[in-house]
Amino acid sequence: MAYFQARRDFLKLATKSATATVLIPGSLGALGEVALRGEDKFVRSICEMCSSRCPMEARVINGKTVLLQGNAFAKEMGTSLCAKGVAGSSQLYDSQRLVSPLIRVGKRGENRWREASFEEALNLVSTKLSALKERYGARSVIFSSKTGEHYDLLRSFASAFGSPNVFSHWSSCPIAIESAFHHTFGEKLHRDFENATYILNFGHNLFEGLDISLTKAMAHFCANPSKKLVVLDPRFSIIAAKADEWHSIKPGSDLAFVLALLHVWIRDGKFDHTFVEQYTIGFDALVDAVKETTPQWQQTRTGIDASVVERIAAELYAATPRCIIDWGHKATTTQAEFQRSRAILIANILMGNVEKEGGIYLTKSAKRVNALAKESIVPELNDPFPRLQINEPRIDGAGEEGAYCFVSKQHGVLTAIPEAILSQKPYEIKGWFLTRHNPLITVADPQKMKEAMEQLEFIVVNDIYLSDTAMMADVILPECTYLERDEGISTLTCKVPTYAMRNKIVAPLHENKSAIEIIRALAERMGYGSHYAWKNSSELRAFQAKGNAELLQTLLLRGVASFDVPFFCARESSLVERFCERYPKSRAWVDAQGCFGHLLTHLKTPSGKIEIYCDAVEKIFKGYGVPRSVDMDVSQGLPYVLTSGKSAVHTNGHTQNVPYLSRLLSSNPIWMHPSTAKAHGLKMGDTFYLQNAIAKEKATVFITEGIRPDTLFAYMGFGRDAPSLARTHGKGTNVSKFLSLASAPICGAMITNVGVNIIKA
Amino acid sequence: MAKKYGMIHDNNLCIGCQACNVACRSENQIPESVYRLQVWVKQEEYPNGGLGYEYHRQSCVQCENTPCVSVCPTHASYKNEDGIVLIDNDLCVGCLYCVAACPYQARYVHPVTKAPDKCTFCHESRLARGEEPACVTVCPTDALIFGDLNDPKSKINKALSERVTYRQKESLGTQPKMFIVPNHKGGIRS
Ligand code: SF4
Ligand code: SF4
Ligand code: SF4
């Protein structure tokens, strides 16, 4: 096979790079401390401090990393990196990291351990998992991971093992918008912030939940006086402060605002009629659904004046097609989340901004670009993570007949896990394998989740820290940090095909292994070795690259690879022409308007077009085929709504104990409006209790005008019970404890806005 | 011609994310208990009743007229040929007059060397290698611009000619080489 040749070339290359020192990134384990000593060198890789995975670069001196910065080979990044990304070296050298496998000696969750060798730990895990499979069937083991290579690895391993029960972190994060995209476009689109002139933002806070290239584009957008940003958020966030207008919308009511926009545009005939006619189906159903959703109607739900909707509707229309109604990532979540996300996408569609500069665009993947060019201009990758089809029902019913029929089997519904374990329905669950996943902090009702975990026979956790979830494990497998491991090739494509690769920056400081090594070693022990076409990370890369040594070399040296493909929007004839000039065979696709219009009529939706109305959804969930008003209440009869989000220096659960970062923000006092604080007799810094039906937790108060009087806000990821996270242990409040396990209809999203009471301490 | 290094902190671009703060710490190995650089995000209420955030860069502003140097009895505090204010630890007698004299509270006592320390424009760690200061390098929003004020073609001079700037405590006559672009946003009412 070609890739074996590639692998030999690749290894040759790697060996060469070990001797040619200064500019060559070390990798493939060939470079250890010895090779690095006394040298000053740059290695380019991918950040892992949050899920944005920005391309980064490290300068290594004497085998120690000194500074992490952005990888300027990724054009949109420059040398920029966020505080978390730069603090990666402080995680690497953190004395509170896990450095050896641990095996439980006390009761589950008691936090008593003995150290073990990897050999012993892996043997134990393989024996236990095999025994569970033997006794209760493979389906009795759950596998969960955050998305990324860890998830791809684990999902593939789970399929070899035979369990259908694979979960990603999606249902606790972006699943609603992903689902809305799937039903509207059949795939996910991106936002061209650089070229937009007007953005309506529903809490997509790129200045506190950073993704460097998007954050940078948005910052320049905000600083440009000729552009306009309108932010709707119950809290005065950093992005709200950078906006031209901020409206403190009532939590959970985004949907009402968007429905009113749709109403106004349709009422006045102010939308892109030609686009709607040519590329979409189901517009008439929408007309009917938004008949009553007037600006006046929304006013009572959102607290925003009707005249504001009228004005913003007109401004957006005037800015078409260079306007974006920004959906956010995990912005508000309510039970109306599916409808909210769909309504936002449809607002974009009515503005005709799809495949227009300054609007929203389809991923220009290698496959898409090659098909258009009718030649292979960008290498396509092999999938190194085979998945066998498992014909067993899942415990959460994802992708099967019932409430979660539209939730992807690949991602599942995390909030359904506790009930399934405790009730043993639809069948018994006995084991759980988690890699880099911390549901006791990031998923609703950790109290119940913990109760369920206590019922299990065997839990194995792979993490960097002894997290709250790791504390529940039987075996903890300590992973190396991202600075100490090689990974396969990942796809970064948005505007143009781009690949990136995680390259080892220093040799592992301790016993730790990478997830690739861990999973591959388990597979070997359990008899699934033949499932994979590779044995280690270098073979994996070579297999992925299909014999393309040049691609691998670029990724080794530069950390990213792009292919000088010109960006095009399918509906911008000048950009289409530029693409055709470069790749003449692509002219065959050009339509009468000089566009690649076929891209929008051959989508992966049932009709092939953009679906304003989804028949499949309507058939099973009556009334959900088009966006319409559904129950948006998040207070559940309680006086306040507790909302949560990120700060610029932490993720939702991973970084709170990282030395540099813990000092920047070490707790999460609850944001409260002065009038609310006064009504409860609270002064800045006072302690009080938050309470609802499932939790009563201590909190401190941060008094600010920057929040609605009926709303509270907390940064995520605090209130840690794990004593091993010594810097953060016991500080702040874990807001997940207030969240209910009920999830949003259709998409299965966890609902992160919740009603609470304030009780004086 | 000698160089004259300066910096711009553009409040319109700054988001208070602290990447600069962490980069400075990491590059210059600043002990945990002290800092050369922080960005203070302060919520302001404007006269019109609106809200805003101001982003104050708390660091040495690299004065041209330097109270810290004037007050130093041993010339341990000095300005180098590129206009960067530095400290020679070997000459320092630990009187800490400079710490008291700095109107910008930029100096701290290094817990290990016991000598005063502060922002050096990464003179020792990066400039020598031809790299920009760590804070400038990582800033996610390009809010920091660094360069030679004596070079008419430098990035910083170009930006100074296009953006309105001010300097902190200008009335003191210290002539900082740290220029601030004031925030145009804010005063937002919901
Ligand atoms: S946003 Fe920051 S933490 Fe996240 S991947 Fe990018 S640099 Fe890393
Ligand atoms: S890194 Fe840039 S945006 Fe972030 S606080 Fe510093 S100056 Fe401001
Ligand atoms: S110039 Fe260097 S020393 Fe000064 S604040 Fe920036 S990173 Fe720190």
Side-chain angles (χ1 to χ4, degrees):
Chain A
M1 270 165 92
Y3 81 87
F4 281 121
Q5 181 54 44
R7 186 186 152 230
R8 273 193 291 277
D9 295 347
F10 184 46
L11 291 175
K12 249 199 321 226
L13 175 80
T15 330
K16 241 198 280 158
S17 56
T19 50
T21 45
V22 181
L23 278 173
I24 313 294
S27 194
L28 295 168
L31 296 182
E33 297 232 332
V34 182
L36 295 169
R37 190 156 297 143
E39 286 156 15
D40 191 350
K41 62 197 277 299
F42 293 90
V43 185
R44 301 186 178 90
S45 183
I46 307 175
C47 183
E48 191 195 40
M49 295 301 284
C50 87
S51 310
S52 299
R53 294 191 183 82
C54 302
M56 47 76 74
E57 172 182 291
R59 190 178 62 240
V60 185
I61 294 177
N62 290 336
K64 268 206 136 194
T65 64
V66 174
L67 187 76
L68 305 176
Q69 60 182 54
N71 178 358
F73 283 113
K75 263 207 297 313
E76 289 86 8
M77 291 280 301
T79 54
S80 299
L81 210 64
C82 81
K84 289 164 287 176
V86 182
S89 56
S90 119
Q91 171 180 274
L92 173 66
Y93 297 113
D94 187 359
S95 57
Q96 293 179 18
R97 255 179 73 187
L98 288 164
V99 294
S100 144
L102 297 176
I103 294 176
R104 173 168 72 83
V105 292
K107 285 209 290 279
R108 185 178 301 293
E110 210 182 26
N111 206 25
R112 290 178 47 222
W113 311 92
R114 71 177 172 83
E115 290 192 355
S117 67
F118 253 101
E119 185 65 21
E120 182 189 357
L122 290 172
N123 284 340
L124 182 61
V125 172
S126 66
T127 318
K128 286 284 187 181
L129 290 179
S130 300
L132 289 181
K133 178 172 173 172
E134 178 83 10
R135 181 122 185 250
Y136 306 101
R139 65 183 191 177
S140 72
V141 181
I142 298 173
F143 294 82
S144 73
S145 170
K146 70 168 181 182
T147 49
E149 190 173 275
H150 284 97
Y151 164 76
D152 298 333
L153 269 165
L154 196 71
R155 175 154 68 118
S156 171
F157 179 78
S159 84
F161 181 76
S163 173
N165 294 311
V166 180
F167 294 81
S168 79
H169 81 290
W170 269 26
S171 57
S172 62
C173 200
I175 203 164
I177 188 65
E178 299 281 355
S179 168
F181 268 118
H182 175 78
H183 286 105
T184 314
F185 291 96
E187 65 178 272
K188 189 167 175 190
L189 279 75
H190 308 273
R191 295 149 286 205
D192 182 16
F193 293 136
E194 286 89 338
N195 296 306
T197 58
Y198 196 113
I199 298 175
L200 172 61
N201 170 300
F202 289 91
H204 183 208
N205 190 358
L206 281 168
F207 298 158
E208 291 174 276
L210 281 78
D211 183 323
I212 300 296
S213 54
L214 295 178
T215 299
K216 192 186 281 277
M218 187 53 91
H220 287 284
F221 183 96
C222 292
N224 184 336
S226 69
K227 308 205 167 191
K228 179 156 183 179
L229 173 68
V230 176
V231 168
L232 272 56
D233 193 325
R235 178 176 76 106
F236 189 59
S237 62
I238 301 283
I239 198 159
K242 294 286 182 190
D244 299 277
E245 267 177 52
W246 167 55
H247 300 281
S248 65
I249 191 169
K250 199 165 179 212
S253 66
D254 293 1
L255 173 63
F257 190 93
V258 191
L259 290 176
L261 278 182
L262 296 172
H263 172 94
V264 171
W265 287 328
I266 293 173
R267 180 196 68 197
D268 301 346
K270 288 191 167 161
F271 58 91
D272 189 335
H273 294 262
T274 330
F275 180 77
V276 167
E277 205 158 295
Q278 198 169 349
Y279 296 107
T280 74
I281 61 154
F283 179 71
D284 293 344
L286 178 70
V287 173
D288 199 49
V290 299
K291 262 211 177 84
E292 318 278 314
T293 62
T294 62
Q296 207 61 45
W297 167 86
Q298 71 82 44
Q299 186 169 318
T300 52
R301 286 161 176 82
T302 62
I304 298 172
D305 210 81
S307 64
V308 172
V309 181
E310 297 278 0
R311 181 174 51 77
I312 291 178
E315 288 173 359
L316 276 166
Y317 182 66
T320 52
R322 290 178 183 256
C323 62
I324 297 172
I325 297 100
D326 187 358
W327 45 84
H329 191 69
K330 175 198 184 184
T332 69
T333 60
T334 77
Q335 46 189 323
E337 204 57 12
F338 178 76
Q339 290 293 42
R340 167 201 179 268
S341 306
R342 280 258 298 151
I344 289 178
L345 296 186
I346 286 161
N348 282 289
I349 292 163
L350 291 203
M351 291 301 95
N353 69 357
V354 183
E355 283 294 318
K356 282 290 205 184
E357 268 191 297
I360 64 179
Y361 60 92
L362 302 165
T363 310
K364 302 301 180 305
S365 62
K367 198 168 160 206
R368 178 164 272 150
V369 165
N370 289 340
L372 269 178
K374 291 178 180 277
E375 58 185 287
S376 176
I377 53 180
V378 178
E380 293 178 37
L381 303 180
N382 266 334
D383 181 356
F385 306 112
R387 289 176 301 280
L388 308 172
Q389 173 88 23
I390 310 287
N391 294 316
E392 287 257 20
R394 289 177 54 101
I395 51 162
D396 56 358
E400 291 148 20
E401 211 173 297
Y404 295 132
C405 61
F406 290 119
V407 176
S408 155
K409 277 177 193 279
Q410 299 177 24
H411 299 286
V413 182
L414 289 163
T415 48
I417 292 178
E419 184 54 29
I421 294 178
L422 291 166
S423 68
Q424 308 196 351
K425 279 188 191 119
Y427 47 79
E428 281 180 308
I429 289 294
K430 294 293 175 183
W432 193 345
F433 190 149
L434 303 98
T435 156
R436 307 300 298 275
H437 188 217
N438 191 3
L440 292 185
I441 295 299
T442 56
V443 178
D445 203 345
Q447 306 88 308
K448 195 62 166 266
M449 188 69 92
K450 212 164 160 182
E451 209 181 303
M453 288 178 116
E454 268 152 16
Q455 305 304 309
L456 299 178
E457 281 185 20
F458 189 67
I459 301 174
V460 49
V461 170
N462 158 43
D463 208 330
I464 286 175
Y465 284 107
L466 211 169
S467 69
D468 297 66
T469 302
M471 244 168 77
M472 297 299 289
D474 293 83
V475 180
I476 303 178
L477 302 170
E479 192 175 22
C480 10
T481 70
Y482 66 105
L483 301 174
E484 302 161 286
R485 61 175 201 260
D486 285 325
E487 285 188 3
I489 304 169
S490 55
T491 306
L492 274 191
T493 305
C494 291
K495 285 190 171 175
V496 291
T498 311
Y499 296 122
M501 193 161 80
R502 188 165 279 146
N503 293 311
K504 186 189 293 185
I505 285 156
V506 292
L509 301 182
H510 310 281
E511 294 296 288
N512 309 27
K513 289 192 186 304
S514 70
I516 291 183
E517 291 167 320
I518 290 172
I519 299 283
R520 193 63 185 77
L522 284 173
E524 207 60 51
R525 279 173 173 71
M526 294 168 70
Y528 315 133
S530 61
H531 184 60
Y532 302 94
W534 45 270
K535 286 203 173 61
N536 51 39
S537 57
S538 40
E539 287 187 5
L540 183 154
R541 290 166 162 190
F543 173 75
Q544 248 181 320
K546 294 185 185 171
N548 188 336
E550 195 190 327
L551 173 63
L552 287 169
Q553 174 162 13
T554 306
L555 289 167
L556 260 178
L557 296 176
R558 300 191 159 192
V560 290
S562 49
F563 305 88
D564 193 31
V565 176
F567 172 62
F568 67 91
C569 293
R571 294 176 57 240
E572 294 283 2
S573 52
S574 60
L575 299 183
V576 166
E577 178 54 30
R578 185 175 72 182
F579 188 87
C580 292
E581 261 164 34
R582 181 82 69 84
Y583 311 109
K585 280 185 252 168
S586 59
R587 281 200 202 281
W589 300 106
V590 176
D591 59 22
Q593 293 143 324
C595 299
F596 290 141
H598 72 285
L599 288 183
L600 292 172
T601 49
H602 293 77
L603 295 167
K604 285 195 209 105
T605 53
S607 63
K609 289 181 141 194
I610 299 171
E611 302 209 337
I612 291 176
Y613 165 78
C614 300
D615 195 43
V617 173
E618 182 69 29
K619 278 208 176 96
I620 299 177
F621 297 92
K622 208 168 158 8
Y624 277 88
V626 277
R628 68 173 77 237
S629 177
V630 290
D631 188 1
M632 296 166 228
D633 175 60
V634 282
S635 61
Q636 293 108 10
L638 295 174
Y640 302 105
V641 177
L642 176 61
T643 62
S644 56
K646 276 187 185 174
S647 76
V649 299
H650 285 301
T651 64
N652 287 339
H654 180 67
T655 58
Q656 282 71 15
N657 201 55
V658 172
Y660 282 173
L661 301 175
S662 117
R663 288 187 67 87
L664 293 175
L665 184 71
S666 58
S667 185
N668 63 345
I670 308 292
W671 291 39
M672 193 184 285
H673 191 268
S675 65
T676 309
K678 193 159 171 228
H680 291 275
L682 292 172
K683 290 192 298 296
M684 192 65 123
D686 277 358
T687 303
F688 68 104
Y689 286 97
L690 285 170
Q691 188 180 35
N692 69 4
I694 64 167
K696 180 177 179 184
E697 294 287 320
K698 223 183 210 152
T700 52
V701 60
F702 171 72
I703 300 174
T704 167
E705 296 273 352
I707 187 110
R708 288 170 61 92
D710 61 2
T711 306
L712 306 170
F713 171 84
Y715 289 122
M716 285 280 295
F718 290 94
R720 310 300 282 261
D721 293 328
S724 311
L725 306 175
R727 294 179 201 93
T728 189
H729 176 229
K731 292 188 184 149
T733 310
N734 177 357
V735 286
S736 295
K737 288 189 176 166
F738 298 96
L739 305 181
S740 126
L741 290 170
S743 60
I746 305 182
C747 58
M750 179 171 102
I751 299 171
T752 57
N753 290 333
V754 69
V756 288
N757 254 315
I758 292 172
I759 313 272
K760 233 180 144 195
Chain B
M1 191 164 73
K3 293 193 189 320
K4 185 168 153 189
Y5 285 121
M7 194 182 285
I8 296 176
H9 178 219
D10 188 334
N11 261 277
N12 285 308
L13 287 164
C14 181
I15 56 171
C17 72
Q18 311 301 329
C20 51
N21 166 341
V22 175
C24 178
R25 190 173 289 293
S26 172
E27 177 69 270
N28 300 306
Q29 302 290 301
I30 309 298
E32 274 200 20
S33 56
V34 290
Y35 63 86
R36 284 185 179 181
L37 166 63
Q38 291 186 337
V39 173
W40 296 350
V41 185
K42 288 189 291 194
Q43 191 176 306
E44 301 280 342
E45 258 178 77
Y46 297 95
N48 70 356
L51 293 176
Y53 291 114
E54 295 294 335
Y55 310 89
H56 167 77
R57 181 183 155 108
Q58 176 61 26
S59 74
C60 171
V61 297
Q62 302 287 355
C63 305
E64 265 299 276
N65 293 328
T66 47
C68 53
V69 172
S70 322
V71 84
C72 177
T74 65
H75 303 292
S77 277
Y78 68 104
K79 200 161 70 175
N80 81 356
E81 61 284 5
D82 297 334
I84 304 175
V85 181
L86 298 169
I87 298 143
D88 183 340
N89 286 355
D90 293 338
L91 294 179
C92 178
V93 290
C95 67
L96 306 186
Y97 289 172
C98 61
V99 176
C102 171
Y104 302 93
Q105 281 87 45
R107 294 185 168 223
Y108 59 86
V109 180
H110 194 286
V112 179
T113 65
K114 307 293 181 206
D117 192 36
K118 62 163 199 75
C119 165
T120 59
F121 271 173
C122 289
H123 167 261
E124 69 285 28
S125 48
R126 296 180 67 92
L127 292 193
R129 264 200 304 267
E131 292 168 333
E132 295 201 304
C135 53
V136 178
T137 303
V138 301
C139 174
T141 62
D142 312 322
L144 299 172
I145 299 173
F146 180 80
D148 181 4
L149 295 165
N150 282 343
D151 172 3
K153 289 202 288 285
S154 64
K155 250 198 309 191
I156 188 165
N157 275 326
K158 181 161 184 287
L160 282 172
S161 70
E162 289 165 353
R163 306 182 201 178
V164 177
T165 58
Y166 72 96
R167 294 176 283 177
Q168 290 171 41
K169 304 191 185 172
E170 232 148 342
S171 62
L172 298 179
T174 48
Q175 297 196 35
K177 292 191 288 290
M178 178 71 62
F179 299 85
I180 298 154
V181 180
N183 202 353
H184 305 310
K185 296 280 168 66
I188 295 178
R189 293 189 88 136
S190 71

